[in-house]
Structure formats: structure tokens, C-alpha cells
Amino acid sequence: MAQVPHEPEEPAVTAASYAEIQQFYGRHMRAMDEGRVEDWTGDFVPDAVFATNARPEPQRGRAEIARNAETAARQLREKGVLRRHCVTTLELRQGGPGPTLLAKTYALITRTVVGERSELEFVCTCEDVLVRHGGRWFIRHRQVFRDDLPES
Amino acid sequence: MAQVPHEPEEPAVTAASYAEIQQFYGRHMRAMDEGRVEDWTGDFVPDAVFATNARPEPQRGRAEIARNAETAARQLREKGVLRRHCVTTLELRQGGPGPTLLAKTYALITRTVVGERSELEFVCTCEDVLVRHGGRWFIRHRQVFRDDLPES
Amino acid sequence: MAQVPHEPEEPAVTAASYAEIQQFYGRHMRAMDEGRVEDWTGDFVPDAVFATNARPEPQRGRAEIARNAETAARQLREKGVLRRHCVTTLELRQGGPGPTLLAKTYALITRTVVGERSELEFVCTCEDVLVRHGGRWFIRHRQVFRDDLPES
């Protein structure tokens, strides 16, 4: 094997971490998709930053993130839209120091109105900095990039 | 961390279980998608119940589940349709007592006729009660909810 | 449990392997999707074979695989297309002898031009023979099957 163009990340992340983070996203995305905004918001640290190319400015702090999420959830409810965040293709790296992980995912977001066909609404990449406190993981920084929107 | 709105599930489910259940779905969904209905049916316990909002009544027992699956598989074959159940966003919780897990997944179901473009046919959530016998997992109860159909 | 139509694979593959291979695909697919063709190509052993029903003949060796991948990446760049390989539904089996795994996945490939809606471009199944050298995994043989194309 003459040439190894990039280093593997495998040794650095345990199977336990990998399973925990997949669980984390399973719970986190369902919370949003089922309209449990408070549960979803609770997955961010209080001073988390959430940047996305769908907004001109990053959202700073759990309170602001919660306000925007509640607005979005209410709009979906009013329009009768079911949205699913289907998370795929997780890649984890050790951040650090301390129990910090960098998690990259692809999300396929579907949109359905009962009686109509489900649609792929948009595709995004998500890069999270995850930190561990008190036996569970939280989001410290999120960068979402929607493929269909220009860089903000 | 003043506030933890919902409890984490991570400590309760091991990485080993998480990998086993992902394997289970990998095998289970391929069995159906490749038309191996007997293999797919063998993943249910004999008295399993399979409820879905695509049918007015739950299917009770492996024999009834098998009959319906064979009909569905034959119809796809006759129409030349390839269907894939793409499983994402697994969330596992301990059921119990005994070796029982509650597994929630999102499935993106695609439909393809050779020579035509692949389509997202429907999106569903799946909640399974999985039990372990003789070194492997089986489905005891399945609840599928298709986003595009009304609650039955 | 009278009847077990097919044998489980669970005991044969450890959670560690399962996590490593998911990591592998996370890194591998991002390399291609971000246009880092050299990184992507480096995931193949030098004499790897890559067969797909999208080409009449298998590609033999890393150099040929790299040439075709560079052409594809350039074409996407020139058209301003973002493509994502969303990997789902992993099933792993021990190959062997030696540290060899057979990995089956479903990939949902999305296509996006900024300012337009993301689309499901195609769906494929992928069967890889993976081998371990020097602490990481490589692809020795890949068989991709696009659902929308005839068997080659």
C-alpha cells in the first residue's frame, strides 16, 4: 500500500461514541419532527450557536434558537405539513480537548401533506460540535448548509 | 447545564445492540426488496402483529403477514418495479423485561422502473418491538405509519 | 420459534467493525461529494476493481478509477451541480480469510443546483469487498447497481 492520501479517523472514535451519536440524532430529529420543540432545544447548550445559510445571521443562545424553532413548528402545523429529517452518512472525529466530537451528517428532509405524495424538500449537510455533560451529549455549535441555497 | 428537558437514552442501549439492530434492518429490508419474502417473514415471531395506516386492520400472525407480503412482492414483480426501503435515523430504547428493544426508524421508500427515473414513493416511520431468541432478533410488534396516508 | 428461514449475521460482525465501516463510508462519500477525488481514490487498493451497470466494462486499478472519477467531478463542477451520496441500510458480513468484510449499502444520490430544488437523481445498491491494511479499510472490489439502468 504505497500511498495513503488521507488518514483514517477510525481509531480515534469508539464504537460506543458512534452508537451514542447516532442515538442522539435519532432522538434529536424526532423531537423536532414531532413538534416537541422544547425537547429539541434542550439538546443545545445554553450558549450554543446555530449558523445556517438559510438565515443571514447565526442564531446565538438556546432562547433565540427556541424562538425560531417554535415559529417554524407552528407554521408546519398550520399548513398540515409533516417534515422528517432523515439522517445519513455520519462521520465523527474527535474534537477536543475534553469530551468533544465533530459530527458531520447528510440530512434528507421530506415534506408530506396527508393525501398528497411525499416530496424531497431539501438536502443539507450538518456539522455539529458536540460536547458531553452529565452523561449525555449536547450541541455547542451547529453549521447547516442547504444545498439549494447560496452561501449566506 | 440548568435544564435537561428530556432524559438521554444512550446509557441504556449498548453499542453492540445498536450495531445488531442496524444489521437486522439491513438484512430484513434487503430480503423484502429482493423478493425473498420467506426470509423477510422469518424475521417476525409466529404470533407477531403488524399494524399500518395503509390497512384498516392489523395483520395478526406470521402466516397472514406472509400472505400479504407475497401478494405485494408479486405485484411489484409483475409491474417491473424495484422498491428499496432505505432505513435511517434509528432510535433504540430498552423495552423489557427480558431482551426487548423498541426501535424507531424513518424509511425512505424508492420506486424504480428500469429506464425511468427513480422516485421517492413514500416516507414512513416504523416502530418495532424486537425480541431476542436463540441468538438473533425478531419482530414481535410493528407499527408503520405512512406520512401520506390518514391515520387508520 | 419453530422456523428460522435464514441465519443471522449479527454474531459474526462486531460493533467495532460496524462503526468503522460506517465511518469509512462517511469519509469516502464526502471525499467524492466535495470533489476531493484523490482522497476518494485513495480508499481503493491499487489493483481494485469497480464494476457498475452504468459502464459496459469494469474499471480495473486505482489509476483508471481515478481518471473516471476526475472526469465525473469536473463535469459536476462545470455544471454547478452538488451531488450527495446518502448511504443507508448497511449490512455487513465476514468475508475471509483475513480481515475482509462484505458491505452492502443503499445509496440515495441527490442532485442540486443552487437556486433550484434538490432532486433524487438515482438510487443504487453497492456491494463492496473491504480489506484492512495498516490500521484502515480499503475497497478491493466494488459492484454498483443503479436501479434505473439495465444490467450491463
Side-chain angles (χ1 to χ4, degrees):
Chain A
M1 306 304 304
Q3 205 188 355
V4 181
H6 58 161
E7 287 300 303
E9 298 83 74
E10 293 109 57
V13 174
T14 63
S17 294
Y18 205 81
E20 284 175 14
I21 300 308
Q22 289 184 301
Q23 285 276 73
F24 175 83
Y25 283 112
R27 186 185 69 223
H28 180 65
M29 295 306 178
R30 262 177 202 84
M32 176 55 92
D33 294 344
E34 296 171 2
R36 292 180 285 108
V37 175
E38 199 181 345
D39 286 347
W40 182 82
T41 308
D43 290 334
F44 292 86
V45 299
D47 59 344
V49 174
F50 182 165
T52 160
N53 66 335
R55 293 182 181 275
E57 296 294 333
Q59 304 162 74
R60 296 185 182 283
R62 200 192 266 168
E64 183 183 348
I65 294 169
R67 240 181 353 259
N68 291 331
E70 279 156 14
T71 302
R74 195 182 53 244
Q75 290 172 342
L76 292 173
R77 242 185 351 259
E78 289 171 358
K79 294 182 200 162
V81 171
L82 281 173
R83 189 184 266 176
R84 305 286 176 200
H85 289 75
C86 300
V87 178
T88 75
T89 325
L90 175 62
E91 183 184 1
L92 272 187
R93 290 172 194 245
Q94 291 292 347
T100 302
L101 291 167
L102 312 180
K104 297 185 183 187
T105 49
Y106 288 166
L108 295 158
I109 287 82
T110 63
R111 171 196 163 91
T112 314
V113 173
V114 172
E116 300 177 17
R117 192 157 186 174
S118 292
E119 296 181 331
L120 179 59
E121 187 174 9
F122 56 89
V123 176
C124 60
T125 58
C126 180
E127 295 192 18
D128 282 341
V129 178
L130 300 169
V131 290
R132 197 168 172 88
H133 290 288
R136 53 156 296 186
W137 293 94
F138 293 88
I139 302 157
R140 188 160 72 195
H141 189 279
R142 168 164 289 176
Q143 174 70 57
V144 165
F145 182 80
R146 261 180 68 165
D147 279 358
D148 58 332
L149 300 180
E151 299 193 39
S152 64
Chain B
M1 308 305 304
Q3 205 187 353
V4 180
H6 57 161
E7 288 300 304
E9 297 84 74
E10 292 108 58
V13 174
T14 64
S17 294
Y18 204 82
E20 284 176 14
I21 300 308
Q22 289 183 301
Q23 284 277 75
F24 174 83
Y25 284 112
R27 186 185 68 223
H28 180 66
M29 295 305 178
R30 261 178 202 84
M32 177 54 92
D33 295 345
E34 297 172 359
R36 293 180 285 107
V37 175
E38 200 181 345
D39 286 347
W40 183 83
T41 307
D43 290 335
F44 291 86
V45 298
D47 60 344
V49 174
F50 182 165
T52 160
N53 65 335
R55 293 183 181 275
E57 296 294 334
Q59 304 163 73
R60 297 185 181 282
R62 200 194 266 167
E64 183 183 350
I65 294 168
R67 242 184 347 263
N68 291 331
E70 278 156 15
T71 302
R74 195 181 55 242
Q75 290 172 341
L76 292 173
R77 245 186 348 259
E78 288 170 358
K79 294 182 200 162
V81 171
L82 282 173
R83 188 184 266 176
R84 304 287 176 201
H85 289 76
C86 300
V87 178
T88 75
T89 325
L90 174 64
E91 184 184 0
L92 273 187
R93 290 173 194 245
Q94 291 291 348
T100 302
L101 290 168
L102 312 179
K104 297 185 182 186
T105 49
Y106 288 166
L108 295 158
I109 287 83
T110 63
R111 172 197 161 91
T112 313
V113 174
V114 171
E116 300 178 17
R117 192 159 186 172
S118 292
E119 296 181 329
L120 179 61
E121 187 174 8
F122 56 88
V123 177
C124 61
T125 58
C126 179
E127 295 192 18
D128 281 342
V129 179
L130 300 168
V131 291
R132 196 168 173 88
H133 291 287
R136 55 157 296 186
W137 293 94
F138 293 88
I139 302 157
R140 189 161 70 195
H141 188 279
R142 168 164 288 176
Q143 174 70 56
V144 164
F145 182 80
R146 260 180 69 164
D147 279 359
D148 58 332
L149 300 179
E151 299 194 38
S152 62
Chain C
M1 307 303 304
Q3 203 187 356
V4 181
H6 58 161
E7 287 301 302
E9 299 83 74
E10 292 108 56
V13 175
T14 63
S17 293
Y18 204 81
E20 284 175 14
I21 300 308
Q22 289 184 300
Q23 285 276 75
F24 175 83
Y25 284 112
R27 187 184 69 224
H28 180 66
M29 295 305 179
R30 262 177 201 84
M32 177 55 92
D33 295 344
E34 296 171 1
R36 293 180 284 108
V37 175
E38 200 182 344
D39 286 347
W40 182 82
T41 307
D43 290 335
F44 292 86
V45 298
D47 59 344
V49 174
F50 181 165
T52 160
N53 66 334
R55 292 182 181 275
E57 295 294 332
Q59 303 162 75
R60 298 187 182 280
R62 201 193 265 167
E64 183 183 348
I65 294 168
R67 242 182 349 260
N68 291 332
E70 278 155 16
T71 302
R74 194 181 57 242
Q75 290 171 342
L76 292 173
R77 242 184 352 260
E78 288 170 359
K79 295 183 200 162
V81 170
L82 282 172
R83 189 184 267 176
R84 305 286 176 201
H85 289 76
C86 300
V87 178
T88 76
T89 325
L90 174 63
E91 183 183 0
L92 273 187
R93 291 173 193 244
Q94 291 291 348
T100 302
L101 290 168
L102 312 180
K104 297 184 181 186
T105 49
Y106 288 166
L108 295 158
I109 287 84
T110 64
R111 172 197 162 91
T112 313
V113 174
V114 171
E116 300 178 16
R117 191 159 187 173
S118 292
E119 296 180 329
L120 179 61
E121 188 175 8
F122 57 88
V123 176
C124 61
T125 58
C126 180
E127 296 192 17
D128 282 342
V129 179
L130 300 168
V131 291
R132 197 169 172 87
H133 290 288
R136 54 156 296 185
W137 292 94
F138 292 87
I139 302 157
R140 188 161 71 195
H141 188 279
R142 168 164 288 176
Q143 173 70 58
V144 165
F145 182 80
R146 262 181 67 165
D147 279 358
D148 58 332
L149 299 180
E151 299 193 39
S152 64

